[in-house]
mmCIF file of all heavy atoms in Angstrom:
data_model
loop_
_atom_site.group_PDB
_atom_site.id
_atom_site.type_symbol
_atom_site.label_atom_id
_atom_site.label_comp_id
_atom_site.label_asym_id
_atom_site.label_seq_id
_atom_site.Cartn_x
_atom_site.Cartn_y
_atom_site.Cartn_z
ATOM 1 N N ALA A 224 147.872 150.728 135.023
ATOM 2 C CA ALA A 224 146.932 151.689 134.433
ATOM 3 C C ALA A 224 145.737 151.892 135.350
ATOM 4 O O ALA A 224 145.317 150.994 136.079
ATOM 5 C CB ALA A 224 146.454 151.186 133.077
ATOM 6 N N LEU A 225 145.196 153.102 135.302
ATOM 7 C CA LEU A 225 143.960 153.364 136.021
ATOM 8 C C LEU A 225 143.131 154.388 135.280
ATOM 9 O O LEU A 225 143.652 155.229 134.544
ATOM 10 C CB LEU A 225 144.200 153.785 137.464
ATOM 11 C CG LEU A 225 144.775 155.158 137.782
ATOM 12 C CD1 LEU A 225 144.557 155.457 139.269
ATOM 13 C CD2 LEU A 225 146.261 155.229 137.510
ATOM 14 N N ASP A 226 141.835 154.264 135.455
ATOM 15 C CA ASP A 226 140.903 155.263 134.956
ATOM 16 C C ASP A 226 140.690 156.289 136.054
ATOM 17 O O ASP A 226 140.508 155.928 137.218
ATOM 18 C CB ASP A 226 139.577 154.611 134.566
ATOM 19 C CG ASP A 226 139.722 153.626 133.413
ATOM 20 O OD1 ASP A 226 140.698 153.775 132.642
ATOM 21 O OD2 ASP A 226 138.869 152.733 133.288
ATOM 22 N N ILE A 227 140.708 157.559 135.674
ATOM 23 C CA ILE A 227 140.634 158.657 136.628
ATOM 24 C C ILE A 227 139.410 159.511 136.329
ATOM 25 O O ILE A 227 139.089 159.758 135.162
ATOM 26 C CB ILE A 227 141.922 159.510 136.578
ATOM 27 C CG1 ILE A 227 143.140 158.641 136.889
ATOM 28 C CG2 ILE A 227 141.841 160.691 137.551
ATOM 29 C CD1 ILE A 227 144.477 159.338 136.701
ATOM 30 N N GLY A 228 138.741 159.944 137.377
ATOM 31 C CA GLY A 228 137.570 160.801 137.219
ATOM 32 C C GLY A 228 137.667 162.013 138.128
ATOM 33 O O GLY A 228 138.656 162.222 138.839
ATOM 34 N N ALA A 229 136.609 162.813 138.107
ATOM 35 C CA ALA A 229 136.513 164.003 138.940
ATOM 36 C C ALA A 229 135.177 163.978 139.654
ATOM 37 O O ALA A 229 134.186 163.456 139.127
ATOM 38 C CB ALA A 229 136.637 165.269 138.091
ATOM 39 N N PRO A 230 135.085 164.541 140.853
ATOM 40 C CA PRO A 230 133.829 164.536 141.607
ATOM 41 C C PRO A 230 132.683 165.153 140.783
ATOM 42 O O PRO A 230 132.846 166.189 140.149
ATOM 43 C CB PRO A 230 134.154 165.386 142.830
ATOM 44 C CG PRO A 230 135.624 165.265 143.004
ATOM 45 C CD PRO A 230 136.177 165.187 141.617
ATOM 46 N N GLY A 231 131.555 164.456 140.791
ATOM 47 C CA GLY A 231 130.385 164.970 140.081
ATOM 48 C C GLY A 231 130.360 164.670 138.606
ATOM 49 O O GLY A 231 129.375 164.957 137.930
ATOM 50 N N GLU A 232 131.441 164.107 138.064
ATOM 51 C CA GLU A 232 131.512 163.782 136.651
ATOM 52 C C GLU A 232 131.222 162.305 136.432
ATOM 53 O O GLU A 232 131.657 161.462 137.214
ATOM 54 C CB GLU A 232 132.899 164.098 136.082
ATOM 55 C CG GLU A 232 133.190 165.560 135.925
ATOM 56 C CD GLU A 232 132.371 166.200 134.814
ATOM 57 O OE1 GLU A 232 132.206 165.573 133.750
ATOM 58 O OE2 GLU A 232 131.879 167.325 135.022
ATOM 59 N N PRO A 233 130.499 161.953 135.366
ATOM 60 C CA PRO A 233 130.284 160.529 135.090
ATOM 61 C C PRO A 233 131.605 159.853 134.756
ATOM 62 O O PRO A 233 132.525 160.497 134.210
ATOM 63 C CB PRO A 233 129.344 160.561 133.883
ATOM 64 C CG PRO A 233 129.590 161.871 133.235
ATOM 65 C CD PRO A 233 129.911 162.825 134.353
ATOM 66 N N PRO A 234 131.739 158.576 135.078
ATOM 67 C CA PRO A 234 133.008 157.895 134.812
ATOM 68 C C PRO A 234 133.187 157.577 133.328
ATOM 69 O O PRO A 234 132.220 157.326 132.608
ATOM 70 C CB PRO A 234 132.870 156.600 135.625
ATOM 71 C CG PRO A 234 131.398 156.341 135.671
ATOM 72 C CD PRO A 234 130.762 157.706 135.730
ATOM 73 N N ALA A 235 134.434 157.623 132.885
ATOM 74 C CA ALA A 235 134.801 157.171 131.548
ATOM 75 C C ALA A 235 133.987 157.846 130.442
ATOM 76 O O ALA A 235 133.445 157.202 129.548
ATOM 77 C CB ALA A 235 134.674 155.652 131.455
ATOM 78 N N GLU A 236 133.908 159.177 130.528
ATOM 79 C CA GLU A 236 133.229 159.949 129.489
ATOM 80 C C GLU A 236 134.193 161.008 128.952
ATOM 81 O O GLU A 236 135.037 161.535 129.688
ATOM 82 C CB GLU A 236 131.979 160.643 130.043
ATOM 83 C CG GLU A 236 130.863 159.710 130.468
ATOM 84 C CD GLU A 236 130.149 159.076 129.283
ATOM 85 O OE1 GLU A 236 130.336 159.574 128.147
ATOM 86 O OE2 GLU A 236 129.417 158.088 129.487
ATOM 87 N N GLU A 237 134.042 161.335 127.668
ATOM 88 C CA GLU A 237 134.937 162.309 127.052
ATOM 89 C C GLU A 237 134.845 163.676 127.722
ATOM 90 O O GLU A 237 135.806 164.462 127.681
ATOM 91 C CB GLU A 237 134.598 162.426 125.556
ATOM 92 C CG GLU A 237 135.602 163.218 124.765
ATOM 93 C CD GLU A 237 135.339 163.172 123.273
ATOM 94 O OE1 GLU A 237 135.070 162.065 122.756
ATOM 95 O OE2 GLU A 237 135.392 164.243 122.632
ATOM 96 N N SER A 238 133.729 163.951 128.371
ATOM 97 C CA SER A 238 133.555 165.240 129.060
ATOM 98 C C SER A 238 134.600 165.453 130.155
ATOM 99 O O SER A 238 134.795 166.592 130.612
ATOM 100 C CB SER A 238 132.153 165.345 129.654
ATOM 101 O OG SER A 238 131.910 164.292 130.576
ATOM 102 N N PHE A 239 135.275 164.379 130.566
ATOM 103 C CA PHE A 239 136.323 164.516 131.590
ATOM 104 C C PHE A 239 137.400 165.509 131.143
ATOM 105 O O PHE A 239 138.025 166.175 131.971
ATOM 106 C CB PHE A 239 136.951 163.152 131.883
ATOM 107 C CG PHE A 239 138.086 163.197 132.874
ATOM 108 C CD1 PHE A 239 137.881 163.583 134.188
ATOM 109 C CD2 PHE A 239 139.378 162.861 132.484
ATOM 110 C CE1 PHE A 239 138.923 163.630 135.091
ATOM 111 C CE2 PHE A 239 140.428 162.902 133.373
ATOM 112 C CZ PHE A 239 140.210 163.284 134.691
ATOM 113 N N GLU A 240 137.600 165.665 129.833
ATOM 114 C CA GLU A 240 138.652 166.565 129.351
ATOM 115 C C GLU A 240 138.351 168.029 129.667
ATOM 116 O O GLU A 240 139.248 168.878 129.560
ATOM 117 C CB GLU A 240 138.876 166.390 127.856
ATOM 118 C CG GLU A 240 137.785 166.980 126.989
ATOM 119 C CD GLU A 240 138.142 166.988 125.510
ATOM 120 O OE1 GLU A 240 139.304 166.685 125.172
ATOM 121 O OE2 GLU A 240 137.272 167.317 124.703
ATOM 122 N N ASN A 241 137.137 168.326 130.064
ATOM 123 C CA ASN A 241 136.762 169.705 130.393
ATOM 124 C C ASN A 241 136.883 170.015 131.876
ATOM 125 O O ASN A 241 136.513 171.111 132.305
ATOM 126 C CB ASN A 241 135.330 169.973 129.941
ATOM 127 C CG ASN A 241 135.158 169.798 128.447
ATOM 128 O OD1 ASN A 241 136.002 170.219 127.660
ATOM 129 N ND2 ASN A 241 134.070 169.150 128.047
ATOM 130 N N THR A 242 137.407 169.096 132.659
ATOM 131 C CA THR A 242 137.484 169.272 134.105
ATOM 132 C C THR A 242 138.849 169.820 134.532
ATOM 133 O O THR A 242 139.850 169.705 133.805
ATOM 134 C CB THR A 242 137.245 167.944 134.839
ATOM 135 O OG1 THR A 242 138.324 167.039 134.530
ATOM 136 C CG2 THR A 242 135.917 167.320 134.424
ATOM 137 N N ALA A 243 138.869 170.383 135.738
ATOM 138 C CA ALA A 243 140.145 170.827 136.318
ATOM 139 C C ALA A 243 141.070 169.648 136.552
ATOM 140 O O ALA A 243 142.300 169.786 136.472
ATOM 141 C CB ALA A 243 139.871 171.575 137.632
ATOM 142 N N ALA A 244 140.499 168.477 136.835
ATOM 143 C CA ALA A 244 141.319 167.285 137.070
ATOM 144 C C ALA A 244 142.104 166.923 135.810
ATOM 145 O O ALA A 244 143.307 166.619 135.874
ATOM 146 C CB ALA A 244 140.427 166.118 137.498
ATOM 147 N N PHE A 245 141.441 166.959 134.647
ATOM 148 C CA PHE A 245 142.140 166.631 133.412
ATOM 149 C C PHE A 245 143.221 167.673 133.101
ATOM 150 O O PHE A 245 144.330 167.328 132.695
ATOM 151 C CB PHE A 245 141.173 166.524 132.237
ATOM 152 C CG PHE A 245 141.855 166.273 130.936
ATOM 153 C CD1 PHE A 245 142.302 164.997 130.620
ATOM 154 C CD2 PHE A 245 142.097 167.288 130.025
ATOM 155 C CE1 PHE A 245 142.962 164.739 129.426
ATOM 156 C CE2 PHE A 245 142.756 167.052 128.824
ATOM 157 C CZ PHE A 245 143.181 165.770 128.521
ATOM 158 N N ALA A 246 142.897 168.941 133.299
ATOM 159 C CA ALA A 246 143.883 169.987 133.029
ATOM 160 C C ALA A 246 145.107 169.803 133.914
ATOM 161 O O ALA A 246 146.253 169.981 133.464
ATOM 162 C CB ALA A 246 143.253 171.359 133.277
ATOM 163 N N TRP A 247 144.872 169.420 135.178
ATOM 164 C CA TRP A 247 146.000 169.202 136.084
ATOM 165 C C TRP A 247 146.826 168.009 135.613
ATOM 166 O O TRP A 247 148.071 168.077 135.596
ATOM 167 C CB TRP A 247 145.486 168.967 137.498
ATOM 168 C CG TRP A 247 146.554 169.005 138.545
ATOM 169 C CD1 TRP A 247 146.918 170.089 139.300
ATOM 170 C CD2 TRP A 247 147.429 167.933 138.939
ATOM 171 N NE1 TRP A 247 147.964 169.748 140.135
ATOM 172 C CE2 TRP A 247 148.287 168.429 139.923
ATOM 173 C CE3 TRP A 247 147.547 166.606 138.542
ATOM 174 C CZ2 TRP A 247 149.253 167.645 140.542
ATOM 175 C CZ3 TRP A 247 148.530 165.822 139.137
ATOM 176 C CH2 TRP A 247 149.379 166.339 140.126
ATOM 177 N N LEU A 248 146.164 166.929 135.220
ATOM 178 C CA LEU A 248 146.889 165.747 134.742
ATOM 179 C C LEU A 248 147.705 166.075 133.490
ATOM 180 O O LEU A 248 148.866 165.663 133.374
ATOM 181 C CB LEU A 248 145.912 164.619 134.429
ATOM 182 C CG LEU A 248 145.286 163.905 135.628
ATOM 183 C CD1 LEU A 248 144.112 163.049 135.178
ATOM 184 C CD2 LEU A 248 146.320 163.062 136.362
ATOM 185 N N ARG A 249 147.121 166.798 132.572
ATOM 186 C CA ARG A 249 147.819 167.153 131.336
ATOM 187 C C ARG A 249 149.119 167.901 131.635
ATOM 188 O O ARG A 249 150.151 167.659 130.997
ATOM 189 C CB ARG A 249 146.897 168.013 130.473
ATOM 190 C CG ARG A 249 147.448 168.412 129.106
ATOM 191 C CD ARG A 249 146.533 169.451 128.472
ATOM 192 N NE ARG A 249 146.393 170.625 129.344
ATOM 193 C CZ ARG A 249 145.280 171.352 129.444
ATOM 194 N NH1 ARG A 249 144.196 171.047 128.748
ATOM 195 N NH2 ARG A 249 145.250 172.409 130.242
ATOM 196 N N ASP A 250 149.088 168.754 132.658
ATOM 197 C CA ASP A 250 150.255 169.572 132.967
ATOM 198 C C ASP A 250 151.238 168.891 133.910
ATOM 199 O O ASP A 250 152.434 169.210 133.891
ATOM 200 C CB ASP A 250 149.814 170.908 133.598
ATOM 201 C CG ASP A 250 149.013 171.771 132.637
ATOM 202 O OD1 ASP A 250 149.125 171.555 131.407
ATOM 203 O OD2 ASP A 250 148.264 172.642 133.115
ATOM 204 N N ASN A 251 150.746 167.959 134.760
ATOM 205 C CA ASN A 251 151.589 167.455 135.843
ATOM 206 C C ASN A 251 151.831 165.953 135.854
ATOM 207 O O ASN A 251 152.802 165.496 136.457
ATOM 208 C CB ASN A 251 150.944 167.824 137.195
ATOM 209 C CG ASN A 251 150.867 169.305 137.411
ATOM 210 O OD1 ASN A 251 151.850 169.965 137.775
ATOM 211 N ND2 ASN A 251 149.692 169.889 137.172
#
Side-chain angles (χ1 to χ4, degrees):
L225 72 165
D226 296 337
I227 300 173
E232 287 290 319
E236 293 287 346
E237 190 173 314
S238 59
F239 177 65
E240 74 170 352
N241 300 317
T242 66
F245 177 78
W247 192 94
L248 287 167
R249 183 190 57 214
D250 295 340
N251 297 280

